[in-house]
Amino acid sequence: QGDVLDDWAQVNFPGVRPDLVPGAPVQDPSFVDEEALRKERTFPIPEEGLVQLAKAFLAKLFVDPTEAKRRMSSDFRFIAPVVPALGDGISGEELCKALGQFNILEAVPDINAQQYDFRTDPFEPNRVWFTARGRGTNTGPVFGGLPATGKSYEAPPQSQSLTFNERGEITKMTIGYVMDKTVGTTGGLGGIFGILYGIGYGLPIPEAQPWKPSPIYKLLSQTGALVSNLQKLAR
């Protein structure tokens, strides 16, 4: 067994400091047994099918919103970190109308959504998660009339998802949940707000601008005792 572990270490940790290499594959109750969970929680449409349905939808979303809407359920909801301002999500009809008004392909003809790492959720087997970055250059009119800035944007990695019903229709879409705000040129913003900020048309509302700490939060952090100060406030 010792020889097997030695081989395992050599294959998986080339160049790693010896004192950092685990003595054996790491196991802990905090790590989900995905294989067991997937057997326990099932969905009629297999993972590969759901991933292909997700890609078929995403491939048409900007190019042909009407075709994309055909893949939405009647109770479809679109949700992003600050969208909607009210309610539990915007409908498919509202989403397609918004996409048509902005017309991202006219504003950024070379847009590349850079979507990858598609997989189903072992807890929600009808949900496909994926990562999106995105880049492009504003060479066309924005909102149909504002002049192009010629600026390029590079978005940070964002966690996004599509949830399906048993008919293969999409019931929920979530986008724009930034995973690392230090990446890219959008001020840490995701989704359409990030694109607009990156090309020089950041909307004049706090939700569409890079995050800034509140005066109180800044004050508490500057004292060097954030946790203890927060504990006092919570009492």
Side-chain angles (χ1 to χ4, degrees), residues 38 47-48 50-56 58-59 114-121 127-132 160-162 164:
R38 289 184 185 281
E47 181 176 52
E48 178 59 25
L50 290 175
V51 167
Q52 290 303 315
L53 287 172
K55 290 181 175 180
L58 295 168
Q114 296 180 315
Q115 298 163 123
Y116 60 99
D117 194 21
F118 287 79
R119 73 278 184 196
T120 54
D121 188 330
R127 189 172 196 171
V128 174
W129 289 97
F130 59 100
T131 304
Q160 318 207 133
S161 76
L162 295 171
F164 294 83

Side-chain angles (χ1 to χ4, degrees), residues 156 178-184 187-189 211:
V178 172
M179 302 162 74
D180 184 351
K181 65 182 181 180
T182 68
V183 174
L189 296 168
W211 176 80

Side-chain angles (χ1 to χ4, degrees), residues 211-226 229-230:
W211 176 80
K212 293 182 179 180
S214 67
I216 294 178
Y217 183 41
K218 186 184 295 185
L219 178 63
L220 292 173
S221 299
Q222 287 175 341
T223 65
L226 177 61
N229 284 326
L230 291 177

Side-chain angles (χ1 to χ4, degrees), residues 40-224:
E40 177 186 335
R41 303 186 182 189
T42 61
F43 190 68
I45 307 172
E47 181 176 52
E48 178 59 25
L50 290 175
V51 167
Q52 290 303 315
L53 287 172
K55 290 181 175 180
F57 170 78
L58 295 168
K60 293 293 185 180
L61 189 58
F62 293 147
V63 178
D64 187 356
T66 301
E67 170 61 20
K69 187 177 182 301
R70 187 176 66 85
R71 295 179 173 274
M72 303 176 190
S73 66
S74 59
D75 59 347
F76 171 90
R77 287 292 178 268
F78 173 89
I79 303 169
V82 295
V83 177
L86 299 172
D88 61 352
I90 66 175
S91 68
E93 185 174 344
E94 292 171 319
L95 174 61
C96 291
K97 182 178 179 181
L99 291 173
Q101 290 174 337
F102 179 58
N103 195 350
I104 184 66
L105 290 180
E106 182 179 36
V108 188
D110 67 342
I111 189 171
N112 183 344
Q114 296 180 315
Q115 298 163 123
Y116 60 99
D117 194 21
F118 287 79
R119 73 278 184 196
T120 54
D121 188 330
F123 286 92
E124 301 174 82
N126 61 325
R127 189 172 196 171
V128 174
W129 289 97
F130 59 100
T131 304
R133 291 189 178 232
R135 63 191 312 158
T137 303
N138 174 214
T139 56
V142 179
F143 294 123
L146 297 174
T149 63
K151 291 185 176 181
S152 297
Y153 82 93
E154 181 179 342
Q158 301 157 65
S159 183
Q160 318 207 133
S161 76
L162 295 171
T163 302
F164 294 83
N165 61 23
E166 294 187 2
R167 290 167 52 86
E169 299 168 333
I170 299 168
T171 61
K172 180 168 65 173
M173 179 179 191
T174 64
I175 75 158
Y177 293 87
V178 172
M179 302 162 74
D180 184 351
K181 65 182 181 180
T182 68
V183 174
T185 61
T186 66
L189 296 168
I192 190 64
F193 287 166
I195 295 175
L196 289 172
Y197 183 85
I199 64 175
Y201 278 116
L203 300 179
I205 56 175
E207 293 82 359
Q209 293 291 318
W211 176 80
K212 293 182 179 180
S214 67
I216 294 178
Y217 183 41
K218 186 184 295 185
L219 178 63
L220 292 173
S221 299
Q222 287 175 341
T223 65

